[in-house]
């Protein structure tokens, strides 16, 4: 739990979560406002190893991202200016066959579109 979630960056919340775990990597980081990952996407990322970012056919980066011990340790040391994205600048970009990998649900209409297509 990040008690200052309203005034801090999402990477600060990630730091709280990582600090509560004894595992230091590799692991997936999945925002709460993204579709579930296809198993093939997870397998492709694991095959490449951390750090890795899935990208769709249009080269748009998405989630989940795979981080390893180096990124975990950097997050644990304190604030990350620019957030997790700055730590993934040199990450391997992995093209995946997942049309939803670069989507998020920042607005209710985005989730509605996803739900209609996912179930259809």
């Amino acid at each position: 739990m990040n008690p200052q979630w309203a005034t801090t960056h999402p990477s600060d919340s990630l730091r709280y979560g990582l600090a509560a775990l004894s595992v230091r990597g590799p692991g997936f980081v999945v925002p709460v406002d993204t579709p579930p990952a296809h198993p093939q996407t997870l397998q492709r990322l694991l095959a490449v190893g951390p750090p890795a970012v899935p990208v769709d056919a249009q080269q748009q980066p998405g989630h989940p991202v795979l981080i390893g011990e180096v990124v975990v340790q950097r997050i644990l040391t304190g604030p990350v200016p620019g957030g997790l994205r700055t730590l993934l600048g040199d990450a391997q970009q992995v093209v995946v066959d997942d049309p939803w990998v670069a989507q998020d649900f920042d607005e209710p209409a985005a989730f509605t579109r996803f739900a209609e297509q996912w179930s259809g």
Side-chain angles (χ1 to χ4, degrees):
M1 175 72 130
N2 178 356
Q4 288 110 23
W5 65 269
T7 59
T8 60
H9 197 275
S11 64
D12 296 311
S13 295
L14 179 58
R15 185 172 58 257
Y16 278 97
L18 289 171
L21 301 173
S22 59
V23 177
R24 294 295 180 234
F28 291 106
V29 176
V30 185
V32 298
D33 65 344
T34 60
H38 286 227
Q40 298 88 341
T41 297
L42 302 176
Q43 291 168 350
R44 294 279 321 273
L45 293 170
L46 287 170
V48 169
V53 176
V55 297
D56 64 13
Q58 290 75 40
Q59 299 295 311
Q60 295 286 65
H63 287 93
V65 296
L66 179 63
I67 62 173
E69 186 174 348
V70 171
V71 172
V72 169
Q73 289 303 321
R74 176 56 190 93
I75 293 167
L76 288 171
T77 62
V80 178
L84 181 59
R85 194 166 284 168
T86 62
L87 298 179
L88 296 174
D90 294 331
Q92 176 73 31
Q93 292 196 348
V94 180
V95 178
V96 296
D97 186 24
D98 180 348
W100 295 101
V101 75
Q103 300 296 312
D104 64 34
F105 307 133
D106 288 339
E107 57 187 52
F111 179 77
T112 301
R113 285 191 303 275
F114 165 75
E116 289 169 353
Q117 292 182 15
W118 184 268
S119 64

